[in-house]
Amino acid sequence: MYVAQPIEWTDRGVVMLDQRRLPAEEISYTYNDYREVAKAITEMVIRGAPAIGVAAAMGVALGVLRSPAQTLEALRTEFAEICETLAKTRPTAVDLFWAIERMKRRFASLSSATSDLAKIREAMVTEARQVHIEKKATDEAIGRYGAEFMPAEGQVMTQCNAGALATGGIGTALGVIRVAVEQGKKLHVLVPETRPYLQGARLTAWELHRGGIPLTLITDNMVGHFLKTGKVGAIVTGADRIAANGDTANKIGTYQIAVLAKENNVPFYIAAPISTFDLTIAGGEQIPIEERSAAEVTHIQGVRIAPDVNAAHPAFDVTPARYIAAIFTERGVARAPYNESLRALAGS
Amino acid sequence: MYVAQPIEWTDRGVVMLDQRRLPAEEISYTYNDYREVAKAITEMVIRGAPAIGVAAAMGVALGVLRSPAQTLEALRTEFAEICETLAKTRPTAVDLFWAIERMKRRFASLSSATSDLAKIREAMVTEARQVHIEKKATDEAIGRYGAEFMPAEGQVMTQCNAGALATGGIGTALGVIRVAVEQGKKLHVLVPETRPYLQGARLTAWELHRGGIPLTLITDNMVGHFLKTGKVGAIVTGADRIAANGDTANKIGTYQIAVLAKENNVPFYIAAPISTFDLTIAGGEQIPIEERSAAEVTHIQGVRIAPDVNAAHPAFDVTPARYIAAIFTERGVARAPYNESLRALAGS
């Protein structure tokens, strides 16, 4: 089954799919300079926290590989600059810093053990590819755990894009659906368009379409109608941050889907890696909600759709844990009470 | 306070505001031929069932006024053609047929009493203007009954456009909000954009903005978030058809707003004229849901936003009566049990 590849390490350089132009155009770029990778992250050629982490790791490896340094000392100096440049791309994406820290640790360990620059370069590339491989393995494990909760046949629903494009693997929520379909389950996916950015319409619809998984695109205000009338068997979405009690921040609109699911007795699931857990936060009310530009509401793809009025754009909302039937992670499935189950998974 | 005027009878002809071009442009046309009025209805220069009824009545009057007929017999022949042309414009709008029937009854009564063509012409114009006047009075009565249920201050929410543009009066749901504001209530209106047609973003935001009523435009998937966090005091929407038990068909998205209102203890109200009642239908499950073009989902104002995939477009949904706190009509307020209260209002 076709899996979109947002980023790939090749002998020619780092190949990235331009997600800003999907679905109208499928254009890839090949980067041979780490500064180009940094720019691509900043300008959102790639998006989705896990995929950004992979991009950062590959950017660091590319910088080390292409560095003109002839001595370890020169390479060390340039390495610091490479990391600094990549760290400045997106200030809030946690995976970005995690990936850069990991590359730093690897560089420190290598450079204390050898001064063979060729060896160091090769090992850094291997480490970046390893980050990508691990992301893929995480998605696949989440997919296997979650697939069991999908119905044998019929309609399921997702939200936004928690697919291959967002992770570099098979996706989290879409990974669950993919694995279920590969297991022979006959699923048809209802895809809310997910305004204002239309990640559902632009990215999830495209991924499913390319993967041969049947879908129906709907507007966000059709969710309730289809949950009431459409015999939906399950809903699965990704997560941006999960508090210790299971309250989950995710793309705006997730909360109301969860409420409508409960009202219509449809199980609502979260699919997310352990790295999404934030156990330092007791409950969802402490998760800050990013407020983005109102112009993204009053305009669609540059076309003004409303008069010059006040508009709100909270980018995320919080779904209280009581609406969540289970959380699928790479280490297993968490169920209520989440205060216990999340801690157990995180600690194992 | 500014009230948008979608249609007006003037000495120069029937003046109509082109709603298709709002909010980008405020363009009005003056029609002097009933065929132009018919075309304007077909092409949706005007929309909203009550406003279409007014347009049909004015179209009939315009046809009679401008008819070159010199004899009653000739006028009678032309009158039949005028009515037939206008009846063909929108096959499903109930108010259209109601208005034409009313104009036919008036013509029959006039032409049996006199053969003075000038008198007949004048009386037909008066009748069309009377239809408009009555629509305005209906909206104002609904507004007065509903305004009492609005909070003294704070946020309220509506959906789609049940405003002046849809009725030719002050609007039904927006009429309630207008009257409340005129009474001194300090309301701020949350306006969901209402995909796929964006009547909220294009029409309601424009009406409120022009009327000086503060508003915040939101996407349809922000409704839940704002009901959970935004201290919303009441929600009021229009209705397309109300069954005997109170189940209400209205623009897609209304059902989920009502569910989210209940979950967050926000009262959800319907504002609609008695003509919206369909007491021949016992419950909402018998109301047919119009399925419209999928292209309206995959494209926004002509711009493709999704790949060439399957998309659904139910234009309406049904809100079960149990979610509706009250229904405001021009004859008073209906509350549960609706089987009794609606029948009492309709019969009075």
Side-chain angles (χ1 to χ4, degrees):
Chain A
M1 189 189 303
Y2 176 84
V3 177
Q5 192 49 268
I7 186 164
E8 213 167 353
W9 182 276
T10 74
D11 292 342
R12 291 168 291 114
V14 175
V15 177
M16 233 184 254
L17 179 65
D18 191 346
Q19 298 192 32
R20 300 166 307 179
R21 300 171 81 158
L22 289 174
E25 297 173 302
E26 291 174 35
I27 294 175
S28 290
Y29 307 113
T30 303
Y31 300 123
N32 267 295
D33 188 312
Y34 75 89
R35 294 174 199 87
E36 293 175 319
V37 173
K39 193 154 171 272
I41 297 172
T42 303
E43 296 181 352
M44 297 182 70
V45 171
I46 196 163
R47 35 60 65 187
I52 287 173
V54 174
M58 288 186 181
V60 171
L62 189 67
V64 171
L65 184 67
R66 299 283 193 248
S67 160
Q70 302 288 336
T71 65
L72 183 55
E73 202 42 50
L75 185 59
R76 211 188 292 274
T77 305
E78 196 168 357
F79 182 76
E81 199 181 311
I82 293 165
C83 291
E84 205 187 330
T85 303
L86 283 157
K88 279 185 192 157
T89 52
R90 294 285 300 275
T92 51
V94 173
D95 280 68
L96 177 83
F97 302 107
W98 169 86
I100 292 170
E101 281 310 308
R102 174 164 167 170
M103 296 303 280
K104 278 184 180 169
R105 280 198 308 275
R106 185 73 184 122
F107 184 80
S109 138
L110 286 162
S111 60
S112 70
T114 178
S115 56
D116 181 338
L117 297 192
K119 259 195 190 151
I120 292 176
R121 288 185 165 108
E122 193 191 327
M124 290 299 285
V125 169
T126 301
E127 186 72 4
R129 299 183 80 158
Q130 184 59 27
V131 168
H132 196 184
I133 288 164
E134 288 172 19
K135 291 278 178 204
K136 290 183 182 185
T138 295
D139 281 5
E140 268 150 30
I142 293 171
R144 277 194 303 275
Y145 282 116
E148 289 178 35
F149 291 78
M150 296 297 103
E153 60 183 329
Q155 298 202 91
V156 296
M157 187 183 284
T158 186
Q159 149 82 338
C160 193
N161 176 262
L165 291 168
T167 69
I170 58 169
T172 50
L174 288 193
V176 168
I177 290 169
R178 269 179 198 283
V179 172
V181 169
E182 278 163 0
Q183 287 172 353
K185 293 187 171 183
K186 308 239 170 297
L187 303 184
H188 183 109
V189 189
L190 287 169
V191 180
E193 62 181 7
T194 316
R195 279 274 289 144
Y197 269 127
L198 296 165
Q199 294 97 329
R202 293 194 305 107
L203 307 179
T204 296
W206 180 81
E207 279 197 38
L208 292 170
H209 186 56
R210 289 295 302 268
I213 300 174
L215 73 130
T216 300
L217 178 65
I218 61 174
T219 58
D220 300 316
N221 57 7
M222 293 176 191
V223 165
H225 175 69
F226 280 100
L227 288 177
K228 179 152 75 86
T229 64
K231 300 179 183 66
V232 178
I235 302 170
V236 56
T237 80
D240 282 85
R241 202 186 315 201
I242 301 175
N245 69 348
D247 291 355
T248 296
N250 192 43
K251 181 55 54 195
I252 186 72
T254 305
Y255 161 68
Q256 68 186 49
I257 294 176
V259 170
L260 291 159
K262 181 183 160 229
E263 190 77 4
N264 289 287
N265 299 308
V266 178
F268 175 86
Y269 303 111
I270 296 287
I274 302 284
S275 61
T276 315
F277 291 8
D278 185 351
L279 304 185
T280 67
I281 278 183
E285 66 287 345
Q286 292 166 53
I287 303 178
I289 298 297
E290 182 189 358
E291 188 73 28
R292 293 183 58 89
S293 162
E296 290 158 0
V297 173
T298 55
H299 295 68
I300 296 178
Q301 304 203 350
V303 178
R304 173 174 277 284
I305 56 151
D308 188 18
V309 295
N310 181 40
H313 182 183
F316 303 98
D317 60 26
V318 174
T319 301
R322 67 180 180 279
Y323 298 104
I324 302 169
I327 299 174
F328 312 139
T329 78
E330 70 271 35
R331 294 190 193 146
V333 176
R335 309 204 69 149
Y338 291 106
N339 266 316
E340 294 166 21
S341 59
L342 296 185
R343 217 162 280 280
L345 282 174
S348 67
Chain B
M1 189 189 303
Y2 176 83
V3 177
Q5 191 50 267
I7 186 164
E8 214 166 353
W9 183 276
T10 73
D11 292 342
R12 291 168 292 114
V14 175
V15 178
M16 233 183 255
L17 178 65
D18 191 346
Q19 298 192 32
R20 301 166 306 179
R21 301 171 81 157
L22 288 175
E25 297 173 302
E26 290 174 36
I27 294 175
S28 289
Y29 307 113
T30 303
Y31 299 123
N32 268 295
D33 188 314
Y34 75 88
R35 294 174 198 87
E36 293 175 318
V37 173
K39 193 155 172 273
I41 297 172
T42 303
E43 296 181 354
M44 297 182 70
V45 172
I46 196 164
R47 36 62 61 189
I52 287 172
V54 174
M58 288 186 181
V60 171
L62 189 68
V64 171
L65 184 68
R66 299 283 192 245
S67 160
Q70 304 287 336
T71 66
L72 182 56
E73 203 41 51
L75 185 60
R76 210 189 293 275
T77 304
E78 196 169 357
F79 182 76
E81 199 181 310
I82 293 165
C83 292
E84 205 186 333
T85 302
L86 283 157
K88 278 184 194 159
T89 52
R90 294 286 300 275
T92 51
V94 173
D95 280 69
L96 178 85
F97 303 107
W98 168 87
I100 293 169
E101 280 311 308
R102 176 163 166 172
M103 297 302 281
K104 278 183 180 169
R105 280 198 306 276
R106 185 73 184 124
F107 185 81
S109 138
L110 286 162
S111 59
S112 69
T114 179
S115 55
D116 181 338
L117 296 193
K119 258 194 192 151
I120 292 177
R121 288 187 165 107
E122 192 190 328
M124 289 299 284
V125 169
T126 302
E127 186 73 4
R129 299 183 81 157
Q130 185 59 29
V131 168
H132 196 184
I133 288 164
E134 288 172 19
K135 290 280 177 202
K136 290 183 183 186
T138 295
D139 281 4
E140 269 151 30
I142 292 171
R144 278 193 303 276
Y145 283 116
E148 290 178 36
F149 291 78
M150 296 296 104
E153 60 183 328
Q155 298 203 91
V156 296
M157 188 183 283
T158 185
Q159 149 81 339
C160 193
N161 176 263
L165 291 168
T167 69
I170 57 168
T172 50
L174 287 193
V176 168
I177 291 169
R178 269 179 198 283
V179 172
V181 169
E182 279 163 0
Q183 288 173 351
K185 293 187 171 184
K186 307 239 170 298
L187 303 183
H188 183 109
V189 189
L190 286 169
V191 179
E193 63 181 7
T194 316
R195 279 275 288 146
Y197 270 127
L198 296 165
Q199 294 98 331
R202 293 194 304 109
L203 308 179
T204 296
W206 180 82
E207 279 198 37
L208 292 170
H209 185 57
R210 289 296 301 269
I213 300 174
L215 73 130
T216 300
L217 178 64
I218 61 174
T219 59
D220 300 317
N221 57 6
M222 294 176 192
V223 165
H225 175 70
F226 281 99
L227 288 176
K228 180 152 75 87
T229 63
K231 301 179 182 66
V232 177
I235 302 170
V236 56
T237 80
D240 282 85
R241 201 184 317 199
I242 301 174
N245 69 348
D247 290 354
T248 296
N250 192 42
K251 181 56 54 194
I252 188 71
T254 305
Y255 161 68
Q256 67 187 47
I257 294 175
V259 170
L260 291 159
K262 181 183 159 228
E263 191 77 2
N264 290 286
N265 300 308
V266 178
F268 175 87
Y269 304 111
I270 296 287
I274 302 284
S275 61
T276 315
F277 291 8
D278 184 351
L279 303 185
T280 67
I281 278 183
E285 66 288 345
Q286 292 167 53
I287 302 177
I289 298 297
E290 183 189 358
E291 188 73 27
R292 294 183 58 89
S293 163
E296 290 158 0
V297 173
T298 55
H299 295 67
I300 295 177
Q301 304 204 349
V303 178
R304 173 173 279 282
I305 56 150
D308 188 19
V309 296
N310 181 39
H313 184 183
F316 303 97
D317 60 27
V318 174
T319 300
R322 67 180 180 278
Y323 298 104
I324 302 169
I327 298 174
F328 312 139
T329 78
E330 69 271 35
R331 292 189 194 148
V333 177
R335 308 204 69 149
Y338 292 106
N339 266 316
E340 294 166 21
S341 59
L342 296 185
R343 215 163 281 280
L345 283 175
S348 68

